Structure formats: C-alpha cells, structure tokens
Coordinates of all heavy atoms in Angstrom, one line a residue:
M14 N 81.7 130.3 92.5 CA 82.6 129.7 91.6 C 83.0 130.6 90.4 O 82.2 131.4 90.0 CB 81.9 128.4 91.0 CG 82.8 127.5 90.2 SD 83.0 127.8 88.5 CE 81.4 127.9 87.8
V15 N 84.3 130.6 90.1 CA 84.8 131.3 88.9 C 85.4 130.3 87.9 O 86.0 129.3 88.4 CB 85.7 132.4 89.2 CG1 85.1 133.5 90.2 CG2 87.0 131.9 89.8
L16 N 85.4 130.7 86.7 CA 86.0 129.9 85.6 C 87.1 130.7 85.1 O 87.0 131.8 84.7 CB 85.0 129.6 84.5 CG 85.5 128.8 83.3 CD1 85.9 127.4 83.7 CD2 84.5 128.8 82.2
E17 N 88.3 130.0 85.2 CA 89.5 130.6 84.6 C 89.6 130.0 83.1 O 89.5 128.9 82.9 CB 90.8 130.1 85.3 CG 92.1 130.5 84.7 CD 93.3 129.8 85.2 OE1 93.2 129.0 86.2 OE2 94.4 130.1 84.7
V18 N 89.7 131.0 82.2 CA 89.8 130.6 80.8 C 91.2 131.1 80.3 O 91.4 132.3 80.3 CB 88.7 131.3 80.0 CG1 88.8 130.8 78.5 CG2 87.3 130.9 80.5
A19 N 92.0 130.2 79.9 CA 93.3 130.5 79.4 C 93.5 130.1 77.9 O 93.4 128.9 77.7 CB 94.4 129.9 80.2
E20 N 93.6 131.1 77.1 CA 93.9 130.8 75.6 C 95.4 130.6 75.5 O 96.1 131.6 75.8 CB 93.3 131.7 74.7 CG 93.6 131.4 73.3 CD 93.0 132.5 72.3 OE1 92.7 133.6 72.7 OE2 93.0 132.2 71.1
I21 N 95.9 129.5 75.0 CA 97.3 129.3 74.9 C 97.6 128.9 73.4 O 97.1 127.9 72.8 CB 97.7 128.1 75.8 CG1 97.3 128.3 77.2 CG2 99.2 127.8 75.7 CD1 97.4 127.2 78.1
K22 N 98.5 129.8 72.8 CA 98.9 129.5 71.4 C 100.3 128.9 71.5 O 101.3 129.5 72.1 CB 98.9 130.8 70.7 CG 97.4 131.3 70.5 CD 97.4 132.5 69.6 CE 95.9 133.0 69.6 NZ 95.9 134.3 68.9
I23 N 100.4 127.7 70.9 CA 101.7 126.9 70.9 C 102.3 127.1 69.6 O 101.7 127.2 68.6 CB 101.3 125.5 71.1 CG1 100.6 125.3 72.5 CG2 102.6 124.6 71.1 CD1 101.4 125.8 73.7
T24 N 103.7 127.1 69.6 CA 104.5 127.2 68.4 C 104.1 126.0 67.5 O 104.2 124.9 68.0 CB 106.0 127.2 68.8 OG1 106.3 128.3 69.7 CG2 106.9 127.3 67.5
P25 N 103.8 126.3 66.3 CA 103.4 125.2 65.4 C 104.5 124.1 65.3 O 105.7 124.4 65.3 CB 103.3 125.9 64.0 CG 102.8 127.3 64.4 CD 103.6 127.6 65.6
G26 N 104.1 122.9 65.4 CA 105.0 121.7 65.4 C 105.3 121.2 66.7 O 105.9 120.1 66.9
Q27 N 104.9 121.9 67.8 CA 105.3 121.7 69.2 C 104.1 121.2 70.0 O 104.1 121.0 71.2 CB 105.8 122.9 69.9 CG 107.2 123.4 69.3 CD 108.3 122.3 69.6 OE1 108.5 121.9 70.7 NE2 108.9 121.9 68.6
E28 N 102.9 121.0 69.3 CA 101.7 120.5 70.0 C 101.9 119.3 70.8 O 101.4 119.2 71.9 CB 100.6 120.4 69.0 CG 100.2 121.7 68.2 CD 101.0 121.9 67.0 OE1 102.0 121.1 66.7 OE2 100.7 122.9 66.3
D29 N 102.4 118.2 70.3 CA 102.5 116.9 70.9 C 103.5 117.1 72.1 O 103.2 116.6 73.2 CB 103.1 115.8 70.0 CG 102.0 115.4 69.0 OD1 100.8 115.6 69.2 OD2 102.3 114.8 68.0
A30 N 104.6 117.8 72.0 CA 105.5 118.0 73.1 C 104.8 118.8 74.2 O 104.9 118.6 75.4 CB 106.7 118.8 72.7
F31 N 104.0 119.8 73.8 CA 103.2 120.6 74.8 C 102.2 119.7 75.6 O 102.1 119.9 76.8 CB 102.4 121.8 74.1 CG 101.5 122.5 75.0 CD1 101.9 123.3 76.0 CD2 100.1 122.3 74.9 CE1 101.0 123.9 76.9 CE2 99.3 122.9 75.8 CZ 99.7 123.8 76.8
K32 N 101.5 118.9 74.9 CA 100.5 118.0 75.5 C 101.2 117.1 76.5 O 100.7 116.9 77.6 CB 99.7 117.2 74.5 CG 98.8 118.0 73.7 CD 97.9 117.1 72.8 CE 98.6 116.7 71.6 NZ 97.6 116.1 70.6
E33 N 102.4 116.6 76.2 CA 103.1 115.7 77.2 C 103.5 116.5 78.4 O 103.4 116.1 79.5 CB 104.3 115.1 76.5 CG 103.8 114.0 75.6 CD 104.9 113.0 75.2 OE1 105.9 112.8 76.0 OE2 104.9 112.3 74.2
A34 N 104.1 117.8 78.1 CA 104.5 118.6 79.2 C 103.2 119.0 80.1 O 103.3 118.9 81.3 CB 105.1 119.9 78.7
Y35 N 102.1 119.2 79.5 CA 100.9 119.6 80.3 C 100.5 118.3 81.1 O 100.2 118.5 82.4 CB 99.8 120.0 79.3 CG 98.5 119.9 80.1 CD1 98.1 120.9 80.9 CD2 97.6 118.8 79.8 CE1 96.9 120.9 81.6 CE2 96.3 118.7 80.5 CZ 96.0 119.8 81.3 OH 94.8 119.7 82.0
R36 N 100.5 117.2 80.5 CA 100.1 116.0 81.3 C 101.0 115.7 82.5 O 100.5 115.3 83.5 CB 100.1 114.8 80.4 CG 98.9 114.8 79.4 CD 98.9 113.6 78.5 NE 97.9 113.7 77.5 CZ 98.1 113.7 76.2 NH1 99.3 113.6 75.7 NH2 97.0 113.8 75.4
S37 N 102.3 116.1 82.4 CA 103.2 115.9 83.5 C 103.0 117.0 84.5 O 103.1 116.7 85.7 CB 104.7 115.9 83.0 OG 104.8 114.8 82.1
A38 N 102.8 118.2 84.0 CA 102.8 119.4 84.9 C 101.4 119.7 85.6 O 101.4 120.5 86.6 CB 103.3 120.6 84.2
R39 N 100.4 119.1 85.1 CA 99.0 119.5 85.6 C 99.0 119.2 87.1 O 98.1 119.8 87.7 CB 97.9 118.8 84.8 CG 97.8 117.3 84.8 CD 96.8 116.8 84.0 NE 96.9 115.4 83.7 CZ 96.4 114.8 82.8 NH1 95.7 115.3 81.9 NH2 96.6 113.5 82.7
E40 N 99.7 118.3 87.6 CA 99.6 117.9 89.1 C 100.0 119.1 89.9 O 99.5 119.3 91.0 CB 100.4 116.7 89.4 CG 99.9 115.4 88.8 CD 98.5 115.1 89.2 OE1 98.1 115.3 90.4 OE2 97.7 114.7 88.3
F41 N 100.8 120.1 89.4 CA 101.3 121.3 90.2 C 99.9 122.1 90.4 O 99.9 122.8 91.5 CB 102.3 122.1 89.4 CG 103.6 121.5 89.3 CD1 104.1 121.3 88.0 CD2 104.3 121.0 90.3 CE1 105.5 120.7 87.9 CE2 105.5 120.4 90.2 CZ 106.1 120.3 89.0
V42 N 99.0 122.1 89.5 CA 97.8 122.8 89.6 C 96.8 122.1 90.4 O 96.1 122.6 91.3 CB 97.2 123.2 88.2 CG1 96.0 124.1 88.4 CG2 98.3 123.9 87.4
K43 N 96.6 120.8 90.1 CA 95.5 120.0 90.6 C 95.5 119.9 92.1 O 94.5 119.6 92.7 CB 95.6 118.6 90.0 CG 95.0 118.5 88.6 CD 94.9 117.1 88.2 CE 93.7 117.1 87.1 NZ 93.4 115.7 86.8
V44 N 96.6 120.1 92.8 CA 96.7 119.9 94.2 C 96.3 121.3 94.9 O 96.3 121.3 96.2 CB 98.1 119.5 94.7 CG1 98.4 118.1 94.2 CG2 99.2 120.4 94.3
S45 N 96.0 122.3 94.1 CA 95.7 123.6 94.7 C 94.4 123.6 95.5 O 93.4 123.1 95.0 CB 95.6 124.7 93.6 OG 96.8 124.8 92.9
P46 N 94.4 124.2 96.7 CA 93.1 124.3 97.4 C 92.2 125.2 96.6 O 92.6 126.2 96.0 CB 93.5 125.0 98.7 CG 94.8 125.5 98.5 CD 95.5 124.8 97.3
G47 N 90.9 124.9 96.6 CA 89.9 125.7 95.9 C 89.7 125.3 94.4 O 88.9 125.9 93.8
L48 N 90.5 124.3 93.9 CA 90.4 123.9 92.5 C 89.1 123.0 92.5 O 89.1 122.0 93.3 CB 91.6 123.3 92.0 CG 91.5 122.8 90.6 CD1 92.7 123.3 89.8 CD2 91.3 121.3 90.4
R49 N 88.3 123.1 91.6 CA 87.1 122.2 91.4 C 87.2 121.3 90.3 O 86.9 120.1 90.4 CB 85.8 123.0 91.3 CG 85.5 123.8 92.5 CD 84.2 124.6 92.3 NE 83.8 125.4 93.5 CZ 82.6 125.8 93.6 NH1 81.6 125.5 92.8 NH2 82.3 126.6 94.8
S50 N 87.7 121.8 89.2 CA 87.8 120.9 88.0 C 88.8 121.7 87.1 O 89.1 122.8 87.1 CB 86.5 120.7 87.3 OG 86.1 121.9 86.6
M51 N 89.5 120.8 86.2 CA 90.5 121.3 85.3 C 90.5 120.5 84.0 O 90.3 119.2 84.0 CB 91.8 121.2 85.9 CG 93.0 121.6 85.1 SD 94.5 121.4 86.1 CE 95.7 121.9 85.0
R52 N 90.5 121.1 82.8 CA 90.6 120.5 81.6 C 91.2 121.3 80.5 O 91.1 122.5 80.6 CB 89.2 120.0 81.1 CG 88.2 121.1 80.6 CD 87.0 120.5 80.3 NE 86.7 120.4 78.9 CZ 85.5 120.6 78.4 NH1 84.4 120.8 79.1 NH2 85.3 120.6 77.1
M53 N 91.9 120.6 79.6 CA 92.6 121.3 78.5 C 92.0 120.8 77.3 O 91.6 119.7 77.1 CB 94.1 121.0 78.5 CG 94.9 121.6 77.4 SD 95.2 123.3 77.6 CE 96.6 123.2 78.8
T54 N 91.7 121.8 76.4 CA 91.2 121.5 75.0 C 92.1 121.9 73.9 O 92.9 122.8 74.2 CB 89.8 122.1 74.9 OG1 90.0 123.5 74.7 CG2 88.8 121.8 75.9
Q55 N 92.0 121.3 72.8 CA 92.9 121.5 71.7 C 92.0 121.9 70.5 O 91.0 121.2 70.2 CB 93.8 120.4 71.3 CG 94.7 120.7 70.2 CD 95.6 119.6 69.8 OE1 95.4 118.5 70.2 NE2 96.7 119.9 69.1
G56 N 92.3 123.0 69.7 CA 91.5 123.4 68.6 C 91.5 122.3 67.5 O 92.5 121.7 67.3
V57 N 90.3 122.1 66.8 CA 90.2 121.2 65.8 C 90.7 121.9 64.4 O 91.6 121.4 63.8 CB 88.7 120.7 65.6 CG1 88.6 119.9 64.4 CG2 88.4 120.0 66.8
E58 N 90.2 123.1 64.2 CA 90.6 123.8 63.0 C 92.0 124.4 63.2 O 92.7 124.5 62.2 CB 89.5 125.0 62.7 CG 88.2 124.5 62.3 CD 87.3 124.1 63.4 OE1 87.7 124.3 64.6 OE2 86.3 123.5 63.2
N59 N 92.4 124.7 64.4 CA 93.6 125.3 64.7 C 94.3 124.5 65.8 O 94.2 124.9 66.9 CB 93.5 126.8 65.1 CG 94.8 127.5 65.3 OD1 96.0 126.8 65.3 ND2 94.8 128.8 65.6
P60 N 95.0 123.5 65.5 CA 95.6 122.6 66.5 C 96.7 123.2 67.4 O 97.1 122.6 68.4 CB 96.0 121.4 65.7 CG 96.2 121.8 64.3 CD 95.2 122.9 64.1
S61 N 97.1 124.4 67.0 CA 98.2 125.0 67.8 C 97.5 125.9 68.9 O 98.2 126.5 69.7 CB 99.1 125.9 67.0 OG 99.8 125.1 66.1
R62 N 96.1 126.0 68.9 CA 95.4 126.7 69.9 C 94.8 125.8 71.0 O 94.0 124.9 70.7 CB 94.3 127.5 69.2 CG 93.5 128.4 70.2 CD 92.4 129.1 69.4 NE 91.6 129.9 70.4 CZ 90.4 129.6 70.9 NH1 90.0 128.3 70.6 NH2 89.8 130.3 71.7
F63 N 95.2 126.0 72.2 CA 94.7 125.3 73.3 C 93.8 126.2 74.2 O 94.2 127.4 74.3 CB 95.8 124.6 74.1 CG 96.5 123.6 73.3 CD1 97.4 123.8 72.4 CD2 96.3 122.2 73.6 CE1 98.1 122.8 71.6 CE2 96.9 121.2 72.9 CZ 97.8 121.5 71.9
V64 N 92.9 125.7 74.9 CA 92.1 126.5 75.9 C 92.1 125.6 77.1 O 91.6 124.5 77.2 CB 90.7 126.8 75.4 CG1 89.9 127.6 76.5 CG2 90.8 127.6 74.1
L65 N 92.6 126.2 78.2 CA 92.6 125.6 79.6 C 91.4 126.2 80.3 O 91.2 127.4 80.4 CB 93.9 126.0 80.3 CG 94.0 125.5 81.7 CD1 94.1 124.0 81.8 CD2 95.3 126.1 82.4
L66 N 90.6 125.3 80.9 CA 89.4 125.6 81.6 C 89.5 125.1 83.0 O 89.6 123.9 83.2 CB 88.2 125.1 81.0 CG 87.9 125.5 79.5 CD1 86.9 124.7 78.8 CD2 87.5 127.0 79.4
I67 N 89.6 126.0 84.0 CA 89.6 125.6 85.4 C 88.6 126.3 86.2 O 88.4 127.5 86.2 CB 91.1 125.9 86.1 CG1 92.2 125.3 85.2 CG2 91.2 125.4 87.5 CD1 93.6 125.7 85.7
E68 N 87.9 125.5 87.0 CA 86.9 126.0 87.9 C 87.5 126.1 89.3 O 88.1 125.2 89.8 CB 85.6 125.1 88.0 CG 84.8 125.1 86.7 CD 83.6 124.2 86.9 OE1 83.7 123.2 87.6 OE2 82.5 124.6 86.3
W69 N 87.4 127.3 89.9 CA 88.0 127.6 91.1 C 86.9 128.0 92.1 O 85.8 128.6 91.6 CB 89.0 128.8 91.1 CG 90.2 128.5 90.2 CD1 90.4 128.9 89.0 CD2 91.4 127.9 90.7 NE1 91.7 128.5 88.5 CE2 92.3 127.9 89.6 CE3 91.8 127.3 91.9 CZ2 93.5 127.3 89.6 CZ3 93.1 126.8 92.0 CH2 93.9 126.7 90.9
D70 N 87.1 127.9 93.4 CA 86.1 128.5 94.4 C 86.0 130.0 94.2 O 84.9 130.5 94.4 CB 86.5 128.1 95.8 CG 86.3 126.7 96.1 OD1 85.6 125.9 95.4 OD2 87.0 126.2 97.1
S71 N 87.1 130.6 93.9 CA 87.2 132.1 93.8 C 88.4 132.5 93.0 O 89.3 131.8 92.8 CB 87.2 132.7 95.3 OG 88.4 132.3 95.9
V72 N 88.5 133.8 92.7 CA 89.6 134.3 92.0 C 90.8 134.3 92.9 O 91.9 133.9 92.5 CB 89.4 135.7 91.6 CG1 90.7 136.4 91.1 CG2 88.3 135.9 90.5
E73 N 90.5 134.5 94.3 CA 91.6 134.4 95.2 C 92.2 133.0 95.4 O 93.3 132.8 95.6 CB 91.1 134.8 96.6 CG 90.7 136.3 96.7 CD 89.4 136.6 96.0 OE1 88.5 135.8 96.0 OE2 89.3 137.8 95.5
A74 N 91.3 132.0 95.2 CA 91.8 130.6 95.2 C 92.8 130.3 94.1 O 93.8 129.7 94.3 CB 90.6 129.6 95.1
H75 N 92.5 130.9 92.9 CA 93.4 130.8 91.8 C 94.7 131.6 92.1 O 95.9 131.0 92.0 CB 92.8 131.3 90.5 CG 93.7 131.4 89.4 ND1 93.5 132.4 88.4 CD2 94.8 130.6 89.0 CE1 94.5 132.1 87.5 NE2 95.3 131.1 87.8
E76 N 94.5 132.8 92.5 CA 95.7 133.7 92.6 C 96.6 133.3 93.8 O 97.8 133.2 93.7 CB 95.3 135.2 92.7 CG 94.8 135.6 91.2 CD 94.3 137.0 91.2 OE1 94.2 137.7 92.3 OE2 94.0 137.5 90.1
Q77 N 96.0 133.3 95.0 CA 96.7 133.0 96.2 C 97.0 131.5 96.4 O 98.1 131.1 96.9 CB 95.9 133.5 97.4 CG 95.8 135.0 97.3 CD 94.9 135.5 98.3 OE1 94.4 134.8 99.2 NE2 94.6 136.9 98.3
G78 N 96.1 130.6 96.0 CA 96.2 129.2 96.2 C 97.1 128.5 95.2 O 97.5 127.4 95.4
F79 N 97.4 129.2 94.1 CA 98.2 128.6 93.1 C 99.3 129.5 92.5 O 100.5 129.4 92.6 CB 97.4 128.1 91.8 CG 98.2 127.6 90.7 CD1 99.2 126.6 90.9 CD2 98.2 128.2 89.5 CE1 100.0 126.0 89.9 CE2 99.0 127.7 88.4 CZ 99.9 126.7 88.6
R80 N 98.9 130.7 92.0 CA 99.8 131.6 91.4 C 100.9 132.2 92.3 O 102.0 132.5 91.8 CB 99.1 132.8 90.6 CG 98.3 132.2 89.4 CD 97.9 133.3 88.5 NE 99.1 133.9 87.9 CZ 99.1 134.3 86.7 NH1 98.1 134.3 85.9 NH2 100.3 134.8 86.1
E81 N 100.5 132.3 93.6 CA 101.5 132.9 94.5 C 102.2 131.8 95.3 O 102.9 132.1 96.3 CB 100.8 133.9 95.5 CG 100.2 135.1 94.8 CD 99.5 136.0 95.7 OE1 99.5 135.7 97.0 OE2 98.8 136.9 95.2
T82 N 102.2 130.5 94.7 CA 103.0 129.4 95.3 C 104.2 129.0 94.6 O 104.3 129.5 93.4 CB 102.0 128.2 95.6 OG1 101.9 127.6 94.3 CG2 100.7 128.6 96.2
D83 N 105.0 128.2 95.2 CA 106.2 127.7 94.4 C 105.8 126.8 93.3 O 106.7 126.4 92.5 CB 107.1 127.2 95.4 CG 106.6 125.9 96.1 OD1 105.4 125.7 96.1 OD2 107.5 125.1 96.7
R84 N 104.5 126.3 93.2 CA 104.1 125.4 92.2 C 103.9 126.2 90.9 O 104.1 125.5 89.7 CB 102.8 124.7 92.5 CG 103.0 123.8 93.7 CD 101.7 123.0 94.0 NE 100.5 123.7 94.0 CZ 100.0 124.5 95.0 NH1 100.6 124.6 96.1 NH2 98.9 125.2 94.8
F85 N 103.5 127.5 90.8 CA 103.4 128.2 89.6 C 104.6 128.3 88.8 O 104.5 128.0 87.6 CB 102.7 129.5 89.9 CG 102.5 130.3 88.7 CD1 101.4 130.0 87.8 CD2 103.3 131.4 88.3 CE1 101.2 130.7 86.6 CE2 103.1 132.2 87.2 CZ 102.0 131.8 86.3
P86 N 105.7 128.7 89.3 CA 106.9 128.7 88.4 C 107.2 127.3 87.9 O 107.8 127.3 86.7 CB 108.0 129.3 89.3 CG 107.3 129.8 90.5 CD 106.0 129.2 90.6
K87 N 107.0 126.3 88.6 CA 107.3 125.0 88.0 C 106.4 124.6 86.9 O 106.8 124.0 85.9 CB 107.2 123.9 89.2 CG 108.2 124.0 90.3 CD 108.0 123.2 91.4 CE 109.0 123.3 92.5 NZ 108.6 122.6 93.8
W88 N 105.1 125.0 87.1 CA 104.1 124.9 86.0 C 104.6 125.6 84.7 O 104.6 124.9 83.6 CB 102.8 125.3 86.5 CG 101.8 125.7 85.6 CD1 101.3 126.9 85.2 CD2 100.8 124.8 84.9 NE1 100.3 126.9 84.3 CE2 100.0 125.6 84.1 CE3 100.7 123.4 84.8 CZ2 99.0 125.1 83.3 CZ3 99.7 122.9 84.0 CH2 98.9 123.7 83.3
R89 N 104.9 126.8 84.9 CA 105.3 127.6 83.8 C 106.6 127.2 83.1 O 106.8 127.2 81.9 CB 105.4 129.1 84.1 CG 104.1 129.8 84.3 CD 103.2 129.7 83.1 NE 103.6 130.5 82.1 CZ 103.2 131.8 81.7 NH1 102.3 132.3 82.6 NH2 103.7 132.5 80.7
E90 N 107.5 126.6 84.0 CA 108.8 126.2 83.4 C 108.6 124.9 82.5 O 109.2 124.7 81.6 CB 109.7 125.8 84.5 CG 111.0 125.3 84.2 CD 112.0 125.0 85.4 OE1 111.7 125.5 86.5 OE2 112.8 124.1 85.3
A91 N 107.6 124.1 82.9 CA 107.3 122.9 82.2 C 106.6 123.2 80.8 O 106.9 122.6 79.8 CB 106.5 122.0 83.0
I92 N 105.6 124.0 80.8 CA 104.8 124.3 79.6 C 105.2 125.6 78.9 O 104.9 125.6 77.7 CB 103.3 124.3 80.0 CG1 102.9 125.5 80.8 CG2 102.9 123.0 80.6 CD1 101.4 125.7 81.0
G93 N 105.8 126.5 79.6 CA 106.1 127.8 78.9 C 107.0 127.8 77.7 O 106.8 128.5 76.7
P94 N 108.0 126.8 77.6 CA 108.8 126.7 76.4 C 108.1 126.5 75.0 O 108.6 126.8 74.0 CB 109.8 125.7 76.6 CG 109.9 125.5 78.1 CD 108.4 125.8 78.6
Y95 N 106.9 126.1 75.2 CA 106.1 125.8 73.9 C 105.2 126.9 73.5 O 104.6 126.8 72.4 CB 105.2 124.6 74.2 CG 106.1 123.4 74.6 CD1 106.2 123.0 75.9 CD2 106.9 122.7 73.7 CE1 107.0 122.0 76.3 CE2 107.8 121.7 74.1 CZ 107.8 121.3 75.4 OH 108.7 120.3 75.8
F96 N 105.1 128.0 74.3 CA 104.2 129.1 74.0 C 104.7 129.9 72.8 O 105.9 130.3 72.7 CB 104.1 130.1 75.2 CG 103.5 129.5 76.4 CD1 103.5 130.3 77.6 CD2 102.8 128.4 76.4 CE1 103.0 129.8 78.8 CE2 102.2 127.9 77.6 CZ 102.3 128.6 78.8
A97 N 103.8 130.1 71.8 CA 104.2 131.1 70.7 C 104.1 132.5 71.2 O 104.7 133.4 70.6 CB 103.2 130.8 69.5
E98 N 103.3 132.8 72.3 CA 103.1 134.1 72.8 C 102.6 133.9 74.3 O 102.1 132.8 74.5 CB 102.2 135.0 72.0 CG 100.8 134.4 71.8 CD 99.9 135.1 70.8 OE1 100.3 135.2 69.7 OE2 98.8 135.5 71.3
P99 N 102.6 134.9 75.1 CA 102.0 134.7 76.4 C 100.6 134.4 76.3 O 99.8 134.9 75.5 CB 102.2 136.1 77.0 CG 103.3 136.7 76.3 CD 103.3 136.2 74.9
P100 N 100.1 133.4 77.2 CA 98.7 133.1 77.2 C 97.8 134.2 77.6 O 98.2 135.2 78.3 CB 98.5 132.1 78.3 CG 99.9 131.5 78.4 CD 100.9 132.7 78.1
F101 N 96.6 134.3 77.1 CA 95.5 135.2 77.5 C 94.7 134.6 78.5 O 94.1 133.6 78.3 CB 94.7 135.7 76.2 CG 93.6 136.6 76.7 CD1 93.8 137.9 77.0 CD2 92.3 136.1 76.8 CE1 92.8 138.8 77.4 CE2 91.2 137.0 77.1 CZ 91.5 138.3 77.4
V102 N 94.7 135.1 79.8 CA 94.0 134.5 80.9 C 92.9 135.5 81.5 O 93.3 136.7 81.7 CB 94.9 134.1 82.0 CG1 94.2 133.4 83.2 CG2 96.0 133.1 81.5
E103 N 91.7 135.0 81.6 CA 90.7 135.9 82.3 C 89.7 135.0 83.1 O 89.8 133.7 83.0 CB 89.9 136.6 81.3 CG 89.1 135.9 80.4 CD 88.4 136.7 79.3 OE1 88.6 137.9 79.4 OE2 87.7 136.1 78.5
H104 N 89.0 135.6 84.0 CA 88.1 134.8 84.9 C 86.6 135.2 84.4 O 86.3 136.4 84.0 CB 88.3 135.2 86.4 CG 89.6 134.9 86.9 ND1 90.6 135.8 86.9 CD2 90.0 133.7 87.3 CE1 91.7 135.0 87.4 NE2 91.3 133.8 87.7
A105 N 85.7 134.2 84.6 CA 84.3 134.5 84.2 C 83.4 133.8 85.3 O 83.9 132.9 86.0 CB 84.0 133.8 82.9
V106 N 82.3 134.4 85.4 CA 81.3 133.8 86.4 C 80.0 133.4 85.6 O 79.7 134.1 84.6 CB 80.9 134.7 87.6 CG1 82.2 135.0 88.4 CG2 80.4 136.1 87.0
D107 N 79.3 132.5 86.1 CA 78.0 132.1 85.5 C 76.9 133.2 85.7 O 77.0 134.0 86.7 CB 77.4 130.8 86.2 CG 78.2 129.6 85.8 OD1 78.9 129.7 84.7 OD2 78.2 128.6 86.6
I108 N 76.1 133.3 84.8 CA 74.9 134.3 85.0 C 73.6 133.5 85.1 O 73.6 132.3 84.6 CB 74.8 135.3 83.8 CG1 74.7 134.5 82.5 CG2 76.1 136.2 83.8 CD1 74.4 135.5 81.3
D109 N 72.7 134.1 85.8 CA 71.4 133.3 85.9 C 70.5 133.6 84.8 O 70.5 134.6 84.1 CB 70.7 133.8 87.2 CG 71.5 133.5 88.4 OD1 72.2 132.4 88.4 OD2 71.5 134.2 89.4

C-alpha cells in the first residue's frame, strides 16, 4: 500500500467553491482500480490549504489506473481552476 499525499493551496475566497467541485469530481478518482480509501482535509489555521490523502495498492495503481486515464483531465478540469499554485504530490509508505 502507498499513500498519496497532495497539498493543495486554493485561491483565498474560493474554498467553498473548491469543496463543491471536489465533492462532484471525486467520483472520477473513486472508481479507479487499486484505490483503497480517499479523503480530503482542510486546514484549520489556514483554510486555503487542503490535503488530499489517498491509499492506493501501488504507485502504479495511481499513475496507470488514474493519472493515465481519461478521468484525470476531467478531475483536474473540475478542481484546477481553484488552485493558487500547482499541487505538491508525493507518495509515502508505512514503516515498521
């Protein structure tokens, strides 16, 4: 299992519109093979900062099962207009 961590900074004042866009567009991601769980968080001290946490079976499940499909551009088209800057995305694994 790998955890995708995406830090998303939203243009101030657009937080509510972003949340609505996310709620509508998350189905593009949720149907991806290899997806285990998905959740979006919003900063308390900085409400324009969101963190998307997705558990995947593997990095390949994320990249090939979602990013290389026709669903990824639809996802970005829905939520991208609210970005203040490109998201920072990385993968992490649990340690024992």
Side-chain angles (χ1 to χ4, degrees):
M14 189 277 301
V15 297
L16 178 66
E17 173 192 358
V18 180
E20 180 180 16
I21 304 169
K22 294 180 181 175
I23 299 304
T24 303
Q27 295 293 304
E28 296 87 356
D29 288 341
F31 171 74
K32 288 189 281 189
E33 287 201 26
Y35 165 76
R36 288 181 184 119
S37 296
R39 65 183 167 198
E40 292 306 315
F41 293 126
V42 184
K43 283 189 152 190
V44 298
S45 300
L48 183 135
R49 294 182 179 200
S50 70
M51 177 178 181
R52 70 187 253 214
M53 180 73 77
T54 66
Q55 182 177 16
V57 174
E58 292 81 10
N59 181 357
S61 295
R62 180 179 179 266
F63 292 78
V64 178
L65 175 63
L66 303 166
I67 303 179
E68 289 182 326
W69 297 97
D70 286 342
S71 64
V72 172
E73 293 77 25
H75 174 212
E76 293 178 352
Q77 296 168 7
F79 175 60
R80 290 196 70 147
E81 294 177 10
T82 71
D83 63 343
R84 294 185 317 279
F85 180 71
K87 294 173 185 175
W88 159 257
R89 286 300 289 263
E90 182 180 335
I92 66 171
Y95 306 101
F96 295 170
E98 59 189 59
F101 176 75
V102 180
E103 63 183 1
H104 297 97
V106 295
D107 289 338
I108 59 172
D109 295 328

